[in-house]
Amino acid sequence: MPRLSRLMSENLYDLLSSRGFVAQSTDAEMRQRLASPVATYVGFDPTADSLHVGSLVPIMGLKWLQQCGHKPLVLVGGATALVGDPSGKTAMRQMLTREDINRNAAAIAKQIGQVVRFDESATGAKLVNNADWLVNKSWIELLREVGPHFSVNRMLTMDSVKGRMENGGISFLEFNYMVMQAYDFVHLYRTEKCTVQMGGQDQWGNIIMGMELGRRTADADLAGLTFPLVTKSDGGKFGKSEQGNIWLSAERTPVYDFFQFWRNAADSDVAKFLGFFTALPMDEVKQLTAFYDERMNNAKEVLAYEVTKLIHGLTAADQALSDTKKAFGASHDVTGDSIPHANIQASELEAGIGLLPLLVRASLAASNGEAKRLVAGGGVSVHNDRIDDPGRKVTTADIKDGYVLLRAGKKKHFRFDVQ
RNA sequence: GGGUAGAUACCGAAGUGGCCAAACGGGGCAGACUGUAAAUCUGCUGGCUCACGCCUUCGAAGGUUCGAAUCCUUCUCUGCCCA
């Protein structure tokens, strides 16, 4: 394994920065610090039973960490989720029960486990839950222990707080988030010799507070590094599609849709995404994305394939790739298993079924009205024939090779297999 | 606790008795052009109906009125100022 050994000897900092992972670092000497193995932690919120593609950056960060010989600590914020994260600012999020959180945490750990190896070895990732040390702390105890070391003046200068003060205000609860997260860092320093924290850019303030708390209470020399916020070149939000978030779980986002999400990336985002979300060597990425023309399609295919493989495994990725190629190729073959499909009874077609409700049934439209607008806008085809009549019935005459294919737009299709 | 400003559809934001399913912008979807790209141009963007039309929606509940997003009452929430 020549490639692996090369990675093992490569400095994590160099690797991360060459792939675009470094937004800010607390320590000018971060490179030095990472020259020898360190335990590093990254936090995840167990507010849902799946992560979405936005979390892929920190996950990949953990992967590189591990490959470069460091120990990744995966922290799930069980305690923080328990009080309900009030950020986001619209309607206080519903409070989750402990069972929910534990279930979510397990599901999330499993997803991360697809990419990062969890075991007892020196570089094996370890799962920790801050509920284990925060939930049973008493208020007084915590106040006495860390209260004296936090300056409110200092906290108020944090960008995250300032921002919230300027628009909408910040609740005391949220103000305390920072304290909890700072405490986590110090706790992990004490128990796991963790000296580095990594996280999204929004975690910068929390990381700093953790470092300061560590210095004051444990004489610890801690450091942190933040990952950049992933942006799309057109300014749109990364990780959203017309259906909503792109999730890592196949139940929430089918593999085919997941694949298509990456396949449809904008040219100007492909190189960045390859750096972030795949393990391809950067010189290969440069080659793939050297030309801003139809050759870029190849790079997108690689991107989609690699990310799908990473999250959903080789078999699923192969399937998605070949189904996609067939569906979008000259043959327009949409019989692949991963193409969205469902069964339909022949008797239904004999009776004739309205096109609009069928579009809704295929989730190609949310309501009959939307389906109708879609038809009126010229976006609907049955097999390859565009349909203009919203009153059109789909019948046995539309069966071709044992199925009926509905298209909404050029990219979305749904196959009804006739039984 | 006192004062004050506000709450409109996915988001921002107009509308201050009928012409309001609610301007405009963003976002989203679709069409054209393309390379499953971007940019651009065009259309659509509450639900049900083939349609006339009907139904639900302007923080919540009541009320006034022939008629309410708009007026009144109470309530809830949010910002700001003062204590």
Side-chain angles (χ1 to χ4, degrees):
Chain A
M1 299 284 271
R3 181 185 283 182
L4 192 66
S5 61
R6 197 202 67 196
L7 280 171
M8 289 294 283
S9 61
E10 188 166 3
N11 184 287
L12 175 63
Y13 186 82
D14 293 337
L15 194 150
L16 289 180
S17 68
S18 73
R19 304 195 74 95
F21 278 76
V22 180
Q24 270 178 297
S25 165
T26 60
D27 185 348
E29 298 305 312
M30 185 58 90
R31 191 178 181 282
Q32 272 311 306
R33 193 182 275 271
L34 294 173
S36 49
V38 294
T40 300
Y41 105 79
V42 177
F44 294 87
D45 257 339
T47 41
D49 64 7
S50 173
L51 297 170
H52 47 83
V53 289
S55 302
L56 229 35
V57 170
I59 291 176
M60 290 305 288
L62 287 170
K63 176 195 170 69
W64 292 122
L65 197 74
Q66 184 165 57
Q67 283 200 19
C68 290
H70 302 281
K71 182 163 188 81
L73 298 169
V74 177
L75 180 142
V76 292
T80 29
L82 210 52
V83 287
D85 185 354
S87 57
K89 192 171 169 337
T90 48
M92 180 81 92
R93 235 177 269 173
Q94 65 180 31
M95 304 240 179
L96 297 162
T97 65
R98 284 208 73 167
E99 294 75 63
D100 285 340
I101 290 167
N102 289 342
R103 190 170 36 74
N104 291 347
I108 287 168
K110 198 176 154 206
Q111 288 181 335
I112 296 175
Q114 288 285 324
V115 181
V116 180
R117 190 184 78 253
F118 281 81
D119 63 35
E120 303 294 323
S121 72
T123 60
K126 180 169 179 180
L127 184 71
V128 292
N129 184 343
N130 67 0
D132 292 341
W133 59 84
L134 283 179
V135 163
N136 294 320
K137 274 250 175 256
S138 83
W139 170 243
I140 298 291
E141 197 183 346
L142 197 67
L143 270 186
R144 284 179 58 99
E145 192 178 339
V146 304
H149 305 292
F150 281 93
S151 151
V152 172
N153 307 38
R154 174 86 178 99
M155 288 167 77
L156 290 177
T157 65
M158 296 270 128
D159 273 354
S160 55
V161 177
K162 259 196 299 190
R164 293 294 307 272
M165 301 265 284
E166 273 151 27
N167 74 90
I170 180 167
S171 71
F172 184 64
L173 179 75
E174 185 169 18
F175 194 55
N176 275 271
Y177 255 62
M178 198 180 266
V179 177
M180 291 197 251
Q181 295 200 20
Y183 188 87
D184 288 343
F185 199 174
V186 180
H187 178 87
L188 290 176
Y189 167 72
R190 291 202 164 108
T191 58
E192 307 284 346
K193 299 193 178 63
C194 168
T195 55
V196 176
Q197 178 180 175
M198 299 190 184
Q201 245 181 323
D202 53 335
Q203 298 300 310
W204 179 254
N206 296 332
I207 293 174
I208 301 274
M209 293 310 287
M211 286 170 52
E212 293 186 1
L213 183 67
R215 192 175 63 233
R216 290 178 188 153
T217 62
D219 199 25
D221 179 25
L222 307 179
L225 182 151
T226 58
F227 304 125
L229 185 70
V230 184
T231 54
K232 295 202 298 177
S233 55
D234 64 3
K237 279 201 189 100
F238 169 72
K240 300 274 188 189
S241 76
E242 62 277 12
Q243 318 289 342
N245 276 323
I246 301 297
W247 299 88
L248 301 189
S249 98
E251 287 79 55
R252 284 177 180 246
T253 301
V255 176
Y256 181 81
D257 294 341
F258 185 85
F259 186 97
Q260 285 295 314
F261 169 76
W262 299 104
R263 180 61 184 81
N264 286 315
D267 284 11
S268 46
D269 288 327
V270 177
K272 183 165 64 178
F273 287 179
L274 282 166
F276 278 140
F277 306 116
T278 73
L280 291 187
M282 286 312 280
D283 41 4
E284 202 169 311
V285 170
K286 284 199 186 74
Q287 275 173 26
L288 275 169
T289 55
F291 303 99
Y292 271 67
D293 54 27
E294 63 268 33
R295 277 170 282 189
M296 195 59 91
N297 282 328
N298 180 41
K300 293 181 190 182
E301 209 165 84
V302 171
L303 172 69
Y305 179 73
E306 290 295 325
V307 185
T308 306
K309 186 170 75 181
L310 196 67
I311 300 305
H312 295 294
L314 186 64
T315 317
D318 282 335
Q319 170 104 54
L321 177 64
S322 84
D323 288 351
T324 288
K325 279 189 155 174
K326 280 191 277 178
F328 285 92
S331 61
H332 295 293
D333 175 358
V334 293
T335 54
D337 275 352
S338 69
I339 303 288
H341 65 279
N343 292 336
I344 190 166
Q345 298 302 316
S347 55
E348 285 187 82
L349 293 175
E350 275 154 23
I353 182 166
L355 176 64
L356 302 185
L358 203 60
L359 282 164
V360 174
R361 198 159 130 188
S363 305
L364 293 174
S367 67
N368 284 355
E370 191 182 311
K372 190 172 136 195
R373 285 193 291 271
L374 203 57
V375 173
V380 175
S381 305
V382 173
H383 292 288
N384 290 318
D385 302 323
R386 178 174 295 183
I387 307 298
D388 303 317
D389 172 20
R392 169 80 145 65
K393 296 277 188 212
V394 177
T395 66
T396 47
D398 293 307
I399 302 174
K400 221 152 89 182
D401 302 326
Y403 64 89
V404 176
L405 181 75
L406 297 188
R407 291 177 186 278
K410 278 180 296 251
K411 297 183 202 171
K412 286 182 293 186
H413 23 243
F414 194 96
R415 189 183 76 231
F416 282 103
D417 294 319
V418 181
Q419 299 295 298

